[in-house]
Amino acid sequence: MRLAMRNRCCGIDVRPVVSFCDAAASRWAFKATVYRSRYCNGFVGYGDADPSNVSALVHGAEMRVAETRAVNRALRKAYGIGLCSVEELGSAADSAQPQRQTRKFPPQPANGNYGGPKVRDRLCQIIRQHQLDPILVKSYAADFCATKTLREATREQVEAFVAHLADWAEKDRNALLCQLNSYLPAKGSAA
């Protein structure tokens, strides 16, 4: 909310998506629209939550989690921010907890993308953890994947790059920074 206040957000409208809500099963879905100005059409974000996709610490508060996720996603779209919350970044505590023995729902493809945004989130986590320049990392990723743009790379290529980047950042961050700096745009000479 501080982000919205700092950027003088005109308004945020949050509504439940009734067709996807089931109070008895603690399943909730919300649509949030962020209006940057009076004349803005709005930036929309959706959020959902049920007991299978929230931490055990917040069981019983799935409605609030879904609403927060929707607002966070709409704010990210409105202000061009990669990740907003620790929940989306993941934490060391999450990896230390044992995996649940049973899942209510098997993983489903999101827009044909198996695994969803996990690779992107891991990449963002590495960039933040090692304080890397995301633009230079993107340039290096395209070069590593041997593609003109990163969008042309396959998921396997991007996964290999993320593993490579994480390994290199852990082993020798200074060498990685030198490699990334080679992607800095050349400065024009003064006339």
Side-chain angles (χ1 to χ4, degrees), residues 6-18:
R6 258 196 324 261
N7 287 294
R8 296 191 174 111
C9 177
C10 187
I12 301 174
D13 179 39
V14 183
R15 297 170 189 252
V17 181
V18 178

Side-chain angles (χ1 to χ4, degrees), residues 19-110:
S19 58
F20 293 111
C21 294
D22 181 4
S26 294
R27 289 191 189 125
W28 300 95
F30 280 85
K31 173 185 176 183
T33 308
V34 171
Y35 300 96
R36 292 178 61 170
S37 70
R38 289 184 346 189
Y39 308 106
C40 177
N41 289 334
F43 293 84
V44 176
Y46 291 90
D48 71 317
D50 65 50
S52 72
N53 69 7
V54 298
S55 167
L57 298 172
V58 293
H59 279 194
E62 287 84 2
M63 185 195 310
R64 172 114 358 170
V65 171
E67 183 180 21
T68 302
R69 286 177 178 173
V71 170
N72 283 346
R73 289 174 181 148
L75 285 169
R76 281 199 329 246
K77 285 182 181 179
Y79 297 106
I81 297 170
L83 294 172
C84 283
S85 68
V86 173
E87 174 190 8
E88 291 173 324
L89 281 175
S91 68
D94 289 343
S95 61
Q97 294 176 355
Q99 293 290 331
R100 285 189 223 155
Q101 296 299 340
T102 60
R103 285 185 69 132
K104 282 193 170 188
F105 303 104
Q108 297 292 318

